[in-house]
Amino acid sequence: MSQKKTRYHIYDTVRQDPEQVTEFKRDPGKAIRASLRKKKKSKKPVIVCPDEADMTQQVNEDERTCYLDDVISENVGWIRIQEKTFKRWMNEHLKHRKLEVEDITEDLNDGLALINLLEILSHKSIGGHYTKRPRINAQKMENIVLTLNFMKGEGIKIVNIDSTDIMQGNMKLTLGLIWTLIFNYQIAANLRDDNSGGGPKKKLLNKINQKLKPSGRKATNFTTDWMDGTLLACLVNCIAPGLIPNYAILNSDDKVENTRLAMDLAETWLGVSKLLAPEDMASTSADDLSNMTYLSGFLDCKVKEGAPVVYPNRAICRGPGITGVGLLPGKPAHFEIDASKCGAGDVEVTVIGPDGSDPVKVEYAASGDTPGIYTGTYHPKDEGEYTVNVTFCGVDVPKAPFKLNIYGDGPRNKLDLSKVKCEGPGLTGEDILPDDKAWFKINYLEAGPAEPKVEIVGPDSQPVPFTVEQDGKGEQYVQYKPPKFGMYNVAINFGGMPLPNSPYKVKVTPQVDASKVKISGLAQVVRIGDSPVFNIDTSAAGDGKLEAQIISPSGKVLKHIIDDDDKGHHTIKINPSEVGTHTINLVYGKVPVPHGPFNVKVRPESEPDKVKLEIGMDTIRLGKPTSFHVDTSEAGNGDLKLRILDDKGNEVDVFQDITVGGKTEYTFTPTKEGTYTIDASFAGVPVIEKELKAEPRLKLDKLNIFGDGLNSNKPLKVGEECKMTIDASRAMTGAIKIREKDPSKMSADHDKADLELLVVGPDGRPVALEIEESDEGVFKVAFTPDKAGEYLFVAESEGVAAPKCPINLKARGLKSVKIYGPGVEPLGNICGFDTHFIVDAREAGEEKLSVDIAGPGTGEFKPQPTIMEQKKGLYHVKYDQSLHNNYKVEVKYGDEKLNKGKPFKPKVHTHNVGAFNASRRRVEIQVTHMALEAPESASVDDYIDLNLKFAQRFKQTASVCGTQPPQVKVLGPNNKLVDTKTNVKDSMYKIRASPVEVGPHKVVVRCADSDLVYGAFNNMFNITT
């Protein structure tokens, strides 16, 4: 709550006039009248703040104001008194939640104080979600709206008050709102059983006057009657007799002292909080609402144990000096006064003779060993009526003053007491139970001219009321109800003298054995809304009637239902609607059941503030399951909703165990470092907001993993060791334990490592690791891939992966790649025909295959290979051999060159002409360069011009081919010759062809004298229609 002190502003129509402001300090009414007479032009009201230097702050029309007549009549102090009283009333309730309001114009504007106050007063949850730490106006407004809606739901009428007034600190309307709460929850609650008519103010006044009745005083209002403090002192003494025994002689001029005395004693012994300052109640500005708030606390107050109170109504007076029986003029009149149960105080006895004569001398003193018992004597001189008055602490005892007649010679001497006949169970006690009608008859027709007088005293020495019916023929019918078991004394006097057998001893005894009554199923604690049922077995206690009385904390008798089976088995069902301890009184056969009364504590339907979070830590381990308990055993009925949020507001998975005895265990595992919040509500009310900080034992962000083996751009090699380094020296203090995460090598749960490493091979199985600490906190890690494919490296601590993990690695088994086929062999390739070879990389892992081919000579001729993957990892490569002689074929799998980095060197031969005789020599013509220029396409019957240029050298000439230049032939789709005309000049061929078929054509260069082929250009041009 706000620490700022309260500032009291008085709002009126004082104009902005420095002279009148000064005058206002001395006489507010005079200052206002003077300001009104001046009629200045400004129409804005002005705040007059006596506690500030600037006395003239202007405010808007909607600012709070106080009425002019209040100020003029010098009642301006009521605002200050009312604000103080209402604030103290609020704090009396809020202290139970350790809250305090210091300024009602500021401390209520966020709605939190009102929410807590309403929950305390109503014994209910406010319901709905509210902001516990409102920072912006929208949140404050929502809280206040929630309180106003709750009040409407409680049936409280709210007039001309909205949330804006409270948030802006409107003093007048805020006081009105608090008064509404006081009236509904304190005053009206104590007036519900009053059907006397009139308004609440009149009813409250009637209740107060009922308390004042023993004193004979009466209150007519809530202001001036209470100003001198004597009426308040009288009220305190009436509730607790003897607490202020001198209340009747207090000096009314000492009004503040009188009020302070009464308030102090009321607070100490009656529990009535001092909501008002004595000076405020004694002030001429006394506020009736403030006084009503304070005085309503006396309606249900109770005297505390040990209070110095007295009880004059418990005094018992007896003897002929009190009753007049047998007294004669001039003879001593003896009496006895029993004030042993009245408390500490003085007894005073006075006797007044006939016709108001001088007081008769009375002698009396304490007697016996029992304190409070007095015996005394006085001597009546004359005949006539005497008045005997007995007081205790200045208060008349029951039936006082006593009136008695003394005769010198009268009817008493002519009476025959033996002829008075008395009979009936009321004198024997036969078959009489408490609260049953006990009766007896007195027949005195022949006993003389007198009337019987009856006095019945119960076991506790208290008089028992009775009724007398007179038949007018000398017979009386007396009836009484004994309230309890015990011995009763029935005294019957006739003509002032006791009958021979008087007093009659009447013993009222139980007819059942209540000790054998058995009670089961009586809960010690129940909730509002529950309908508890308990069992009572009276089958072994005798015949009797079971009676029950359930009393609520406010003293109301609750309705209940008793069912029985006529065999002594009973069930009692109650429906409590009030919070507090309920008292159950059980009586069987008029006998209280032993060990009673029985108490049942009724608590609110739900008490969200009783929900307890049991967790012994604020910091939790990352990756480790965290368990805690939520105890709702004392919270009543309601649903517990719990969630755990990470620092980004995302919900975390929570495992909920079974609930035992109101306790529920929850478990969650933090998966990342940061703050986790346990957020819980019960019956719709937020109850838990606990922050936990998740930290790893090993700080992974300080962990450094490096090494060539982790370079994803440099694949691993099957069979070669992969090495890496883990530097954890800055990630953790103390000894660090790193191990391989392998189920077959896992240690017990209590021996977990700080960092676990795992490498998973292509087949999904873990790969063995070698781990060695090379320096403090620095580890060397190595493994050897045994097959090609994808490997996965993971480093984790408590289930949380290290940065950059998992790391994907590739291993290649290039040694397992097989390449075979004529396309890479030195023999078996014929010029002019396609060749091929196979690449089998099925055991080498998944990589890209690339093939680069360079033709004979300078290598400018580069056939383009065709690569087909027949199966995964099995490739078929085909390429064109248009020229004969040596080729270079380079094969790469991934980034690695196969064949130990060297190219394959297949040799392309000319067409096979068979074996030569020994006399013949083989001619080898090597075409070192040959280029063909041709259009890509042409139409049928068009001329096609081709240009062929080549260089040749003959290693050896022979008659096989002669020395003629090669011939150039054009072949159609079906290898049919196309008519050509050839012109040769300086190794330049100009050929004109006349194609007649549609489709691809090729050019073949042959030996002029044989069918040796130097080269072929396949699909050089295409003929279309």
Side-chain angles (χ1 to χ4, degrees):
M1 300 300 170
S2 172
Q3 301 298 318
K4 183 178 179 180
K5 293 184 177 179
T6 304
R7 298 165 60 188
Y8 304 97
H9 299 299
I10 304 173
Y11 297 85
D12 48 45
T13 56
V14 175
R15 303 304 180 186
Q16 195 167 0
D17 186 347
E19 294 181 3
Q20 297 306 325
V21 170
T22 304
E23 182 64 26
F24 183 87
K25 296 180 180 180
R26 296 191 295 269
D27 189 341
K30 183 178 179 181
I32 292 172
R33 294 188 192 95
S35 297
L36 289 175
R37 284 194 295 270
K38 290 189 176 182
K39 296 182 179 179
K40 290 193 174 183
K41 296 181 180 180
S42 175
K43 295 182 179 180
K44 293 184 178 179
V46 175
I47 304 176
V48 178
C49 312
D51 58 341
E52 293 184 346
D54 183 4
M55 306 295 290
T56 55
Q57 291 182 329
Q58 291 204 7
V59 296
N60 296 325
E61 289 287 340
D62 60 347
E63 296 266 5
R64 45 181 189 236
T65 62
C66 83
Y67 296 108
L68 177 61
D69 57 350
D70 289 334
V71 181
I72 294 177
S73 61
E74 298 184 357
N75 280 333
V76 294
W78 72 266
I79 296 181
R80 178 184 59 82
I81 295 173
Q82 197 174 99
E83 195 271 348
K84 287 168 58 179
T85 304
F86 290 2
K87 181 176 67 176
R88 289 177 181 173
W89 178 83
M90 293 177 66
N91 288 334
E92 274 297 309
H93 295 284
L94 290 174
K95 68 182 181 182
H96 300 296
R97 294 192 179 182
K98 299 181 180 180
L99 300 175
E100 183 179 4
V101 171
E102 294 190 4
D103 186 342
I104 65 172
T105 63
E106 295 184 3
D107 293 348
L108 304 186
N109 63 9
D110 60 4
L112 294 179
L114 287 174
I115 288 173
N116 283 277
L117 181 61
L118 281 169
E119 289 185 340
I120 293 170
L121 294 174
S122 67
H123 304 290
K124 298 177 182 178
S125 168
I126 196 71
H129 177 73
Y130 66 91
T131 306
K132 293 183 177 180
R133 297 175 183 173
R135 293 182 174 85
I136 60 176
N137 288 340
Q139 294 172 332
K140 297 177 182 180
M141 187 74 73
E142 288 177 357
N143 287 352
I144 297 172
V145 169
L146 183 63
T147 63
L148 297 180
N149 290 338
F150 179 82
M151 291 174 64
K152 292 176 183 177
E154 288 279 281
I156 299 174
K157 188 176 181 180
I158 303 174
V159 181
N160 296 331
I161 302 174
D162 61 25
S163 54
T164 305
D165 299 320
I166 306 304
M167 194 178 75
Q168 292 180 351
N170 187 312
M171 171 70 83
K172 180 180 176 183
L173 296 182
T174 301
L175 290 175
L177 178 66
I178 301 172
W179 168 249
T180 301
L181 296 177
I182 295 172
F183 175 78
N184 282 276
Y185 287 107
Q186 179 162 311
I187 297 177
N190 288 302
L191 300 177
R192 289 172 184 163
D193 57 347
D194 189 345
N195 300 317
S196 60
K201 196 170 186 179
K202 182 179 178 181
K203 289 183 178 180
L204 179 59
L205 204 59
N206 290 338
K207 288 279 187 180
I208 296 295
N209 284 329
Q210 289 176 14
K211 301 281 186 181
L212 290 169
K213 189 174 182 179
S215 69
R217 294 192 63 178
K218 190 175 183 180
T220 60
N221 58 57
F222 287 105
T223 51
T224 56
D225 284 359
W226 305 89
M227 286 174 56
D228 62 8
T230 60
L231 189 58
L232 182 62
C234 179
L235 176 63
V236 172
N237 195 72
C238 286
I239 297 173
L243 206 57
I244 310 178
N246 62 334
Y247 73 89
I249 60 173
L250 292 176
N251 188 349
S252 60
D253 292 335
D254 300 330
K255 54 184 182 179
V256 176
E257 289 74 13
N258 296 341
T259 306
R260 179 176 289 108
L261 171 67
M263 285 186 172
D264 288 344
L265 290 172
E267 186 173 43
T268 303
W269 297 113
L270 303 182
V272 180
S273 300
K274 195 186 296 182
L275 303 179
L276 267 172
E279 296 81 0
D280 293 336
M281 179 172 268
S283 169
T284 57
S285 301
D287 170 48
D288 59 345
L289 300 188
S290 298
N291 285 359
M292 289 172 68
T293 301
Y294 174 66
L295 292 172
S296 63
F298 287 91
L299 298 185
D300 58 353
C301 68
K302 295 182 180 179
V303 181
K304 295 183 179 179
E305 186 176 353
V309 296
V310 295
Y311 301 95
N313 62 322
R314 296 181 181 178
I316 299 175
C317 302
R318 50 182 171 252
I322 298 297
T323 64
V325 175
L327 293 183
L328 293 173
K331 298 294 182 179
H334 302 287
F335 62 88
E336 181 183 80
I337 300 171
D338 184 355
S340 60
K341 297 180 180 179
C342 297
D346 296 327
V347 172
E348 184 176 356
V349 182
T350 59
V351 180
I352 304 298
D355 300 326
S357 58
D358 294 337
V360 179
K361 183 179 179 180
V362 182
E363 295 179 350
Y364 60 94
S367 65
D369 297 331
T370 304
I373 296 180
Y374 300 82
T375 58
T377 305
Y378 64 93
H379 293 77
K381 295 180 180 180
D382 304 317
E383 291 185 350
E385 184 181 65
Y386 284 75
T387 301
V388 180
N389 193 30
V390 181
T391 63
F392 186 83
C393 289
V395 179
D396 291 345
V397 301
K399 299 184 180 181
F402 302 93
K403 302 290 184 178
L404 52 101
N405 291 305
I406 299 177
Y407 303 96
D409 183 17
R412 178 176 60 254
N413 299 324
K414 299 179 182 180
L415 300 178
D416 187 354
L417 300 182
S418 64
K419 293 185 178 181
V420 179
K421 304 298 182 182
C422 302
E423 63 178 356
L427 298 178
T428 63
E430 183 179 357
D431 295 329
I432 296 178
L433 293 174
D435 293 326
D436 283 353
K437 292 181 180 180
W439 61 270
F440 59 91
K441 291 180 180 180
I442 305 173
N443 189 314
Y444 56 96
L445 181 63
E446 298 177 358
E451 294 286 337
K453 289 188 178 180
V454 178
E455 185 179 84
I456 304 175
V457 179
D460 55 358
S461 301
Q462 294 294 319
V464 177
F466 58 90
T467 61
V468 178
E469 293 182 10
Q470 186 82 37
D471 65 354
K473 298 179 180 180
E475 189 173 80
Q476 288 183 350
Y477 180 85
V478 182
Q479 182 175 282
Y480 68 96
K481 290 183 178 181
K484 61 177 69 175
F485 292 109
M487 185 66 72
Y488 289 79
N489 290 319
V490 181
I492 304 176
N493 294 335
F494 188 73
M497 294 182 292
L499 297 182
N501 294 325
S502 178
Y504 292 86
K505 302 294 184 181
V506 182
K507 189 174 183 180
V508 179
T509 58
Q511 299 177 5
V512 298
D513 187 355
S515 65
K516 294 184 178 180
V517 175
K518 298 179 181 179
I519 302 173
S520 61
L522 183 60
Q524 298 297 315
V525 178
V526 297
R527 297 281 177 182
I528 295 291
D530 293 344
S531 297
V533 176
F534 58 97
N535 304 310
I536 301 174
D537 184 358
T538 62
S539 58
D543 293 332
K545 181 182 179 182
L546 177 66
E547 299 173 276
Q549 185 186 52
I550 295 94
I551 302 175
S552 71
S554 63
K556 297 178 181 178
V557 178
L558 299 186
K559 295 180 179 180
H560 58 277
I561 300 174
I562 300 181
D563 292 324
D564 63 79
D565 60 358
D566 296 328
K567 296 180 181 180
H569 300 99
H570 311 263
T571 60
I572 298 181
K573 180 180 179 180
I574 62 176
N575 294 287
S577 59
E578 187 177 335
V579 173
T581 300
H582 289 58
T583 303
I584 301 178
N585 296 302
L586 297 177
V587 176
Y588 186 65
K590 302 298 182 179
V591 181
V593 175
H595 310 297
F598 304 93
N599 293 327
V600 175
K601 189 174 182 180
V602 179
R603 294 170 63 172
E605 182 178 4
S606 63
E607 295 179 276
D609 57 328
K610 301 290 186 182
V611 177
K612 299 176 183 177
L613 172 66
E614 297 178 359
I615 185 169
M617 65 193 81
D618 292 324
T619 303
I620 56 179
R621 289 283 296 277
L622 189 64
K624 181 180 180 181
T626 299
S627 297
F628 58 90
H629 292 86
V630 178
D631 186 354
T632 59
S633 58
E634 298 293 323
N637 303 321
D639 294 329
L640 177 68
K641 295 183 178 180
L642 183 141
R643 59 179 184 166
I644 298 179
L645 306 176
D646 61 18
D647 49 12
K648 293 184 179 179
N650 299 318
E651 286 196 40
V652 177
D653 291 338
V654 185
F655 172 75
Q656 177 180 342
D657 205 346
I658 60 174
T659 301
V660 179
K663 282 189 178 182
T664 307
E665 184 179 42
Y666 294 87
T667 304
F668 77 101
T669 302
T671 57
K672 59 182 179 179
E673 190 173 357
T675 300
Y676 290 79
T677 302
I678 302 175
D679 180 80
S681 63
F682 186 79
V685 179
V687 292
I688 298 174
E689 189 173 343
K690 173 72 173 178
E691 290 188 352
L692 303 173
K693 188 176 182 180
E695 293 183 348
R697 184 169 182 265
L698 180 72
K699 295 185 179 180
L700 294 175
D701 58 335
K702 303 293 184 181
L703 192 69
N704 188 16
I705 304 176
F706 58 93
D708 290 341
L710 300 179
N711 187 354
S712 58
N713 296 324
K714 184 178 180 182
L716 308 179
K717 294 182 179 180
V718 176
E720 293 186 9
E721 190 175 59
C722 171
K723 298 180 180 180
M724 66 189 78
T725 300
I726 298 178
D727 185 355
S729 59
R730 297 175 58 228
M732 179 177 166
T733 57
I736 301 173
K737 185 175 181 180
I738 296 181
R739 71 160 179 234
E740 180 180 358
K741 186 175 182 179
D742 188 338
S744 64
K745 301 179 182 179
M746 290 289 285
S747 302
D749 289 341
H750 60 81
D751 190 29
K752 291 185 177 180
D754 301 307
L755 186 67
E756 293 181 311
L757 308 180
L758 176 65
V759 175
V760 180
D763 55 1
R765 297 180 181 180
V767 178
L769 295 172
E770 295 180 6
I771 304 173
E772 179 184 358
E773 187 171 10
S774 61
D775 201 352
E776 185 176 359
V778 180
F779 297 82
K780 300 294 185 182
V781 181
F783 74 94
T784 302
D786 56 353
K787 61 182 65 178
E790 296 280 350
Y791 284 76
L792 189 69
F793 172 77
V794 180
E796 62 179 35
S797 176
E798 298 179 329
V800 180
K804 300 180 182 180
C805 285
I807 300 174
N808 293 313
L809 303 173
K810 292 182 180 180
R812 296 176 184 158
L814 299 182
K815 294 181 179 179
S816 63
V817 178
K818 299 176 182 177
I819 303 175
Y820 56 90
V824 292
E825 299 295 335
L827 299 174
N829 297 299
I830 305 299
C831 182
F833 295 90
D834 292 340
T835 188
H836 71 280
F837 60 92
I838 302 298
V839 179
D840 186 352
R842 286 176 289 184
E843 300 294 329
E846 188 175 349
E847 294 289 347
K848 182 180 179 182
L849 175 68
S850 59
V851 179
D852 185 63
I853 304 174
T858 60
E860 293 183 12
F861 173 59
K862 290 184 174 292
Q864 295 300 315
T866 301
I867 302 176
M868 292 182 295
E869 188 173 12
Q870 296 175 330
K871 295 181 180 179
K872 190 170 184 179
L874 183 64
Y875 301 91
H876 179 272
V877 183
K878 184 175 71 172
Y879 65 93
D880 175 25
Q881 296 178 330
S882 299
L883 300 179
H884 77 285
N885 220 328
N886 295 325
Y887 284 65
K888 293 181 180 180
V889 179
E890 187 177 78
V891 182
K892 292 174 67 175
Y893 194 65
D895 295 331
E896 297 290 330
K897 294 180 180 180
L898 302 182
N899 196 32
K900 298 182 180 180
K902 299 178 181 180
F904 293 92
K905 295 180 178 181
K907 188 169 184 179
V908 178
H909 300 274
T910 57
H911 189 70
N912 186 12
V913 295
F916 294 101
N917 295 328
S919 61
R920 302 183 67 185
R921 290 176 298 173
R922 181 179 178 184
V923 173
E924 184 178 338
I925 303 176
Q926 182 178 3
V927 178
T928 59
H929 182 77
M930 186 160 46
L932 178 68
E933 295 177 1
E936 291 183 2
S937 63
S939 299
V940 176
D941 299 329
D942 285 348
Y943 290 110
I944 298 298
D945 292 326
L946 307 173
N947 295 320
L948 177 65
K949 183 179 181 181
F950 69 94
Q952 65 177 351
R953 61 187 176 88
F954 297 90
K955 289 186 177 180
Q956 190 173 6
T957 60
S959 61
V960 177
C961 293
T963 58
Q964 297 299 320
Q967 292 182 349
V968 178
K969 296 184 180 294
V970 178
L971 300 178
N974 296 317
N975 290 327
K976 291 183 179 181
L977 289 175
V978 177
D979 292 337
T980 59
K981 292 182 178 181
T982 304
N983 181 19
V984 180
K985 183 179 181 181
D986 298 330
S987 298
M988 175 67 75
Y989 283 66
K990 289 187 178 183
I991 304 109
R992 171 164 289 185
S994 300
V996 295
E997 290 183 281
V998 174
H1001 289 59
K1002 65 179 181 179
V1003 179
V1004 178
V1005 182
R1006 294 178 178 275
C1007 177
D1009 298 328
S1010 70
D1011 49 358
L1012 291 175
V1013 177
Y1014 296 135
F1017 298 91
N1018 294 323
N1019 303 329
M1020 287 305 299
F1021 56 88
N1022 191 51
I1023 302 301
T1024 61
T1025 58

